[in-house]
Every structure is written in C-alpha cells, then in structure tokens.
Amino acid sequence: MASEEELIASVDALLAEEPQLPPPAERARLREAAGITQARLALALRTSTQMVKGYETGRSEPQEPRLTAYVRLLNGWAAKYPATAAVRQPEAPETFTGPTTPEPTEPETPAPAPPPADQTAPERRPARPATSRRPAAKKAAQPVTDPRFPNGPLAVLDGHGSAHGIDDLVLHCPATTIPELVEWTLTESGLGAAKLHRNGKDADPLIVLTTAAAVKFGLPERLEGHEQRRSLRLLEDHPVVKQITRAKWRLTQRGFGPWARVYRKAQGRDRQCVQLAILPWDALDGRSWPGVADMDASDIARVLGTYATRVTTPRGSTAVSGLELMTALRPPTRAVRDEATGGWVSGHNTGSLGTDPMDPAPPEATPEHPVVVDSGWNGGFLNEEAYQWVRSVDTLSDEECTLPFAVGLDLNTAFLAAASRLTVGLSAPDHFHAPKFSPKIPGSWLVDLSHIELDPRLPSPFTPDGTRPTGPAWYQTHTIAYAQELGHDVHPVEAYLRRETGAYLDPWHDRLKNAYVDTLADLGVTKDLDDRAFLAAMEQHKQADPAMAAVLSAIKATVKGGVGKLRERPQGRHYKAGERWPALERPTWRPDIRAAVISKARVNMHRKLNNMVKMTGLYPLAVLSDCVVYPSPGESPLDFLPYAASGKPQPGAFRLGPTPGLAKLEGVQSMLWAVDLMEKGLNPARHIKGGDAVMDEGE
C-alpha cells in the first residue's frame, strides 16, 4: 500500500499538470447552455471571436494565462449544465466550391456554405429604442458571410479597447501600439472582405482610428505644417514610424498619413496588409461623408461598413475608392495555362484595361502631358465636359417671365447612368485620315459642326457652355452620333480610334446602382412610390437616418470622383509641363473613357431637354452638370412635367424616381430671383437649393 508521502507526491504531480479542457464539442455545448455568445466569451477572455471559434472546433487551443481562466469557466458551467443523454448534432462543415482555374497570385475565393448558427453569433450592442433614427423598413437579405472574414470588412477603434464592427459587433482589441494593432488585425480580428471578382484579390482589412484611439497609439491629434493635404504624413523619425520599422513592417511611399497602409511582403499567397484611416487627420472628407467624423464609433462603423458591403472597403477618398472599384470588378490578369510548360501563369483578363499604362491620343490628353509637349501638338483637344449653360434673358418670352417659380430638377447620378452599356476603347488609339463615321467605334473625331443651326433657347449639345461651335473641333463618338440622330451629316477630317472595345464600366455601374437604390430604400425612398409620394419621401430622407444619408452621399461622390480620377491632373507647384506624374503610371489613367462618360451624360441631358420642348413647349433657364432649372406655374415638378392621360409619366422627358438617370427636386426659387441671376451672368442651377449651395460639377 502506498505511503502518505507517495500519495501526496502523486496528487501534487497532478496539480502541477496544465488544466485539462473538455472536447471542443463539449466546450460549445456548455457555452450555448449558459446562453453566452462567442463574442461575449471572447470579451471575457480578452481574445477575439475568431479564436473562440477555433477553441470550439478544435483548430486552436488557449495558452496560459487564458487557459486556466477558460477551464475554470467551463468547470463552472459543467456543474450547472451537466450533459444529458441527448446527442449533440454535429456541426455543419465549411464547404467550398473549388476554383475552375488556378490563380497564380492568390487562391480563388471559396463559395462557402453558411456556417452553423452557433458559429455566427458575435456580441451585439443592445437594440436601439423605439425612438431610434432608423426608419422601419424591410430588411434586405444579408450576404453569406465568408468564413475567413467572419467579423466583416472593418472596425472602428474607440480608444477604450473596443473595436466596433458591422451589425453592432464589438471586439476587444488589446493592442497598444500600431505594430500590435496590425498583428491583431491579421491574426485575431477576423476582419477582411472577399474579392469581388474571381480573378481579383481579397480586400485588406480596414482599421479606423477615432481621435481617442489615435492618441492612445501615440499619434498626434492633427497633422499640420504641410502645403497640400495629399502630402500630410508623419516624419520618418516619429516614434510610431520607428515602431513600425523595428517590427519589420513597411509603409507605402505615401508614408503614414490619413490613409496609411502597413504591410509585409506576402508569404506565398497570403497577403499581409492592413489599411488604417485616421479620422482626426481628415481621412473622411466632410463633403463626401457629411457628419461622419463626428459620430460615435458604432455609427461610424455602421456607415463605413454599409459602404464597404455595398460598394467596396474604403482605401482612401471616395474618388480613389471609385477607381479601385473599377479594377476590383475588372481585374487586369487571370490564370492562363502555359502551353510550353503546362503550368499556370498570369495572363491578360479579357475586357479589362490590362496591367500597363497606355498613353492617350494627343487630342485626348491634357496640355501638360508628355505626348503633347514632346510632339509639339497644337491640333486642339477634346472638350467633353458637363454643361455649364445659362440661357440669354433676351430669349425669355413674356409668358415665361410671368410664371411665378423657377424649379430645379437634378438627375440622379447622371454619370453613373451614362456608364451603363457604354462601349469604350480597351486598346491603344490608331490614327486615321478622313474616316467614315461609325457610332459603334469609340474614339475621338475631328469634325466641323459649326454649320448646324439649333434653337437658341436650348444649349448646343456639342459644347459644355452650350454655345454654337465656331469651326472644326474634336468630339467623342457619342457627341457625333447625336449630331447624326438630329438629322445632320458628319464628315470627320481625322480620328483616333480603338480597335479593341468593350463595356468596361458595366460591372461598376451595376454595383453602384444597386448600392444607390438600396441605400435610398433604407431612407424610405423606394421604387414603388408614386411621384407625389416620391417627392414627399425625398424631402425627409436625410433626416430619416443621418448615417444612411452619409452612405448615400459617399456613393454619389464615388461615382463622380471615380470618373474624375480617370483624368487626374498633376499636383504640386513644382511640377513642370512635359514631366510624367504618378497618375500616368496607372492603367486606369484613361481620359478617353472619362470623355465618353461625360459626352453620353451631356447628350442624354440634351435629348431630354429636346423632348420636353416637343411634349410641353417648355424651355430651360439654365443647366449645370446634371441639374436643370425650368420656369413653372407651381412649386412642384408635378406642375410642368409631362404625363399621359393615364397619369403615367411620358417616356423620353424628365421623369421622377429613385434610380440613376431619373430626376428629383433640387430646389425652388422665385422666377424673379432666377432672372436676376441670369441678367448678372450667373447660373441659377448653381444656387437653386438656396443659401450658398454650390453644385458639384463632377470632378
């Protein structure tokens, strides 16, 4: 029989052993029996929901001191909720649809089955009271969560250790330095977003720092002393930059500014990159994101999370995001088989702009572009811009002057509507002399349209200022095609045309259109409203939910900014004409595509103006980009828009509605007010909203 000393030594040996965990399935059963979510447990253990999920599936095990605390908790639950004879149903495995072709730079995005319910119950903030600003609306179907990114695309740090994600999720973030924050984001947070195209790349996780969070991580509240906002960044000797360098992380050439990217060289196919947005450094421009920087962390996460889910994870300004979205939806490369080796290599993705920058034709370029300066080009340039036209007061009739009101109509995302089914050039331009015009070939044409007589009460469709052309000029295909549509012969002198063409912007249009319509629906403006109800809903939509109103503003800014970025000009006072600037190294520096969008938008506007004359006899007072002002007998568009006897709006004219290309009320002023501005040479469309409102002209 063992002695007392031997028994004590044996027991002490057991006590010295590490605490023993029950099997993974039992861990999950105990937590569920206690009614605790994985996210709440993660907060208690000071870890992430993703790690707790690993504990309960057997993919990972906790380490000390977390192990002892976890065992103690499970033992307590086991005493309260002993196992019964009921057999726990096995968890549904994560299933994947394999790629049809290998991806040379990154694995294909899996098409996962929905994870089991007990794996998708993160900590949520309490539901808002009945006085919430959120309107009662039918909840849209939620997208399937990618198991690699269970916690969504981004998180907002509040400075108190909490990271606020989408759907009111709250994660505990133990990081106290930027390198620790990056490590936590990549290993524990469960943040990120799947690629938007099978040949593309996953979106890097975004971490947004509020002012309190920025201070906590040793960042200054403001960046000052720089001449231009784009040059704002921490100096290389700043302690935070040194921390990043010591931890073997890197910053992009833009440095640590309002939008900082921290990365390491990819290991195999796994990217190691985190995007940071520093709110006190004006990462979110108030013109695109009205009021968002002043919201609390949870509402900021709601705004940015909705935008990321519907549009793309922000990577900078809305203009940058708009451009990045084009590439994400039309990746430049795809996997192709090398016939010589039998292996897979990176090849051109049909329908994309490719990986190499492409110089424009001289008339499509800007005056400072190297192709212009180096060649001595003096043959003129495309002038395809949005309308800025004011009608001459001399053409106003007495009847028009006696109407009491001037009513402004604004076309919803007119540039986005123009991008739909828009054929653009994908290859380099070729030069032709005396070509026969074809409306199916995108390019730039030198044509004389000065002989065309048009009604002076309408703007010319051929020039941005609405004046009649004075001689031969360069035009984009849509402008020339519209001249033919109006019944005029066109005889190009020369042209720069592209042989390879495609509807490059179609996926971009479709995604942004859905985002715009869905966000308006969240604000109570739905497609099923009649015109009167639509106008009433639009009057209140911004007040219905300021957070969703900010998302809507950002979507509109993404459209106009993305189109503008296609012809980004050089910046900086030290730039000299003829030098290449950074934007030229992008395949998406394509001024010809920008010209095609704006030309089609302007033609669409003129076609509606022309049809309004035919249907109602009304002529506009002014046009500014996508806003037009009409004299009206009443304060509502319903007082002058054309309707059929059935009450339905007449096709071809301006129509009210919530989709791109349809119109909404921009503002109402007195006719005397509008005429006074016109006499001064000012544009009533610019100020029709009232006050000092200024229309965004698209770039």
Side-chain angles (χ1 to χ4, degrees):
M1 185 173 179
S3 66
E4 180 180 351
E5 291 79 5
E6 290 173 332
L7 289 173
I8 292 175
S10 179
V11 169
D12 286 345
L14 287 175
L15 291 173
E17 291 183 7
E18 288 189 350
Q20 297 298 306
L21 284 167
E26 177 65 6
R27 304 170 201 174
R29 184 195 73 80
L30 291 171
R31 176 185 54 75
E32 291 173 348
I36 302 299
T37 65
Q38 289 178 325
R40 187 173 174 190
L41 176 56
L43 282 173
L45 295 177
R46 300 296 189 269
T47 187
S48 68
T49 306
Q50 186 76 355
M51 292 301 291
V52 170
K53 187 179 295 184
Y55 302 162
E56 295 183 357
T57 58
R59 291 195 298 266
S60 61
E61 297 291 336
Q63 303 298 318
E64 292 293 2
R66 190 172 289 118
L67 174 61
T68 299
Y70 190 30
V71 169
R72 180 177 181 182
L73 178 64
L74 293 175
N75 287 340
W77 283 341
K80 287 185 178 181
Y81 313 107
T84 64
V87 179
R88 174 179 166 82
Q89 293 296 320
E91 295 182 343
E94 294 176 344
T95 59
F96 299 87
T97 300
T100 57
T101 57
E103 170 64 46
T105 58
E106 189 172 359
E108 294 289 341
T109 301
D118 61 353
Q119 292 191 11
T120 56
E123 180 84 9
R124 304 292 171 191
R125 285 151 46 96
R128 296 181 183 237
T131 56
S132 168
R133 298 170 302 180
R134 304 184 191 185
K138 183 178 178 181
K139 186 162 183 161
Q142 295 297 315
V144 176
T145 301
D146 190 307
R148 297 170 301 156
F149 312 116
N151 293 330
L154 56 85
V156 181
L157 301 186
D158 61 8
H160 305 292
S162 294
H164 300 259
I166 62 173
D167 297 332
D168 292 330
L169 176 144
V170 181
L171 302 172
H172 172 68
C173 177
T176 58
T177 66
I178 294 297
E180 289 177 359
L181 175 61
V182 173
E183 294 278 4
W184 172 83
T185 303
L186 293 175
T187 60
E188 295 193 41
S189 71
L191 297 174
K195 53 195 172 186
L196 299 179
H197 187 281
R198 63 186 301 275
N199 294 318
K201 297 178 180 178
D202 293 332
D204 297 318
L206 169 64
I207 299 295
V208 182
L209 276 65
T210 60
T211 300
V215 172
K216 174 182 176 180
F217 285 98
L219 299 172
E221 287 193 32
R222 304 292 302 174
L223 278 181
E224 299 176 351
H226 296 275
E227 295 177 1
Q228 295 186 17
R229 184 180 181 279
R230 65 182 285 113
S231 66
L232 288 174
R233 67 186 69 183
L234 290 180
L235 298 177
E236 293 185 2
D237 61 354
H238 191 278
V240 170
V241 177
K242 289 183 177 180
Q243 286 175 355
I244 294 170
T245 303
R246 284 196 300 268
K248 308 299 183 184
W249 290 99
R250 300 180 183 180
L251 293 166
T252 61
Q253 291 183 350
R254 295 293 297 274
F256 201 110
W259 290 89
R261 294 182 69 78
V262 185
Y263 72 100
R264 281 180 183 152
K265 187 176 180 181
Q267 295 182 353
R269 295 180 176 182
D270 295 330
R271 287 172 61 83
Q272 297 188 88
C273 185
V274 174
Q275 176 78 63
L276 303 177
I278 318 300
L279 295 188
W281 299 356
D282 299 325
L284 298 181
D285 190 323
R287 294 168 296 180
S288 302
W289 303 93
V292 176
D294 298 325
M295 295 179 180
D296 61 37
S298 60
D299 281 335
I300 296 171
R302 181 176 171 232
V303 171
L304 296 180
T306 302
Y307 179 89
T309 302
R310 293 179 178 176
V311 181
T312 186
T313 303
R315 287 189 54 182
S317 68
T318 48
V320 169
S321 297
L323 201 66
E324 292 288 341
L325 181 62
M326 294 180 195
T327 303
L329 294 168
R330 291 279 198 189
T333 61
R334 66 182 180 91
V336 296
R337 188 176 292 279
D338 187 332
E339 298 299 332
T341 65
W344 294 94
V345 296
S346 181
H348 176 66
N349 186 29
T350 304
S352 76
L353 298 182
T355 58
D356 298 323
M358 183 185 301
D359 280 340
E364 298 167 346
T366 56
E368 65 272 12
H369 195 286
V371 301
V372 174
V373 175
D374 294 346
S375 66
W377 172 264
N378 59 2
F381 299 94
L382 278 176
N383 189 24
E384 299 287 12
E385 302 294 340
Y387 268 133
Q388 295 190 57
W389 171 80
V390 179
R391 183 174 157 193
S392 170
V393 291
D394 296 336
T395 64
L396 292 174
S397 67
D398 292 340
E399 182 182 359
E400 288 175 313
C401 291
T402 57
L403 291 173
F405 298 105
V407 176
L409 291 176
D410 179 69
L411 295 182
N412 302 321
T413 56
F415 287 175
L416 185 61
S420 177
R421 293 184 292 277
L422 174 68
T423 301
V424 300
L426 301 178
S427 56
D430 291 322
H431 193 198
F432 297 87
H433 291 280
K436 181 179 180 181
F437 176 72
S438 170
K440 296 182 179 180
I441 302 177
S444 303
W445 310 76
L446 181 62
V447 185
D448 189 352
L449 302 178
S450 61
H451 63 283
I452 298 177
E453 283 281 357
L454 294 173
D455 194 314
R457 292 171 292 182
L458 289 176
S460 167
F462 311 128
T463 61
D465 63 4
T467 59
R468 183 174 175 174
T470 57
W474 289 95
Y475 301 99
Q476 201 276 336
T477 297
H478 282 87
T479 305
I480 305 301
Y482 188 57
Q484 274 193 338
E485 181 182 322
L486 294 175
H488 304 284
D489 291 332
V490 292
H491 303 283
V493 178
E494 58 180 306
Y496 287 90
L497 309 176
R498 288 170 166 80
R499 300 179 187 274
E500 184 182 343
T501 65
Y504 172 72
L505 293 175
D506 262 9
W508 186 78
H509 162 271
D510 294 347
R511 186 165 178 85
L512 285 168
K513 175 186 177 180
N514 290 336
Y516 181 83
V517 171
D518 290 348
T519 306
L520 263 182
D522 287 342
L523 292 165
V525 186
T526 57
K527 295 180 181 179
D528 58 349
L529 299 176
D530 62 29
D531 285 0
R532 196 172 300 279
F534 168 74
L535 291 172
M538 287 300 295
E539 280 188 27
Q540 303 296 326
H541 79 285
K542 291 184 179 179
Q543 291 74 36
D545 188 342
M548 286 300 100
V551 175
L552 187 69
S553 172
I555 292 170
K556 292 189 288 186
T558 301
V559 172
K560 288 192 173 182
V563 172
K565 275 281 185 181
L566 292 168
R567 196 192 67 166
E568 184 177 357
R569 305 291 287 270
Q571 302 183 44
R573 63 178 181 174
H574 300 297
Y575 173 78
K576 295 180 180 178
E579 295 177 345
R580 295 189 69 84
W581 59 95
L584 299 188
E585 306 312 315
R586 297 192 316 248
T588 49
W589 196 86
R590 290 294 302 273
D592 57 301
I593 296 180
R594 173 186 176 275
V597 172
I598 298 177
S599 168
K600 185 178 175 183
R602 198 181 67 245
V603 163
N604 287 347
M605 171 66 82
H606 193 276
R607 187 179 290 114
K608 287 181 170 62
L609 297 174
N610 220 13
N611 288 337
M612 283 287 288
V613 173
K614 296 174 183 177
M615 296 177 188
T616 68
L618 286 176
Y619 291 86
L621 301 177
V623 184
L624 180 69
S625 187
D626 46 15
C627 178
V628 56
V629 178
Y630 274 101
S632 173
E635 297 182 79
S636 170
L638 301 176
D639 295 318
F640 65 88
L641 289 179
Y643 290 85
S646 63
K648 293 185 178 180
Q650 292 281 22
F654 293 102
R655 297 174 56 191
L656 300 175
T659 56
L662 298 186
K664 60 181 179 292
L665 177 63
E666 180 70 9
V668 182
Q669 300 289 340
S670 72
M671 185 64 178
L672 289 175
W673 170 89
V675 173
D676 182 56
L677 288 183
M678 294 165 67
E679 288 177 339
K680 296 176 180 177
L682 302 177
N683 194 322
R686 184 181 296 276
H687 306 284
I688 193 70
K689 281 185 177 180
D692 294 322
V694 176
M695 293 288 295
D696 182 353
E697 295 168 21
E699 188 174 0

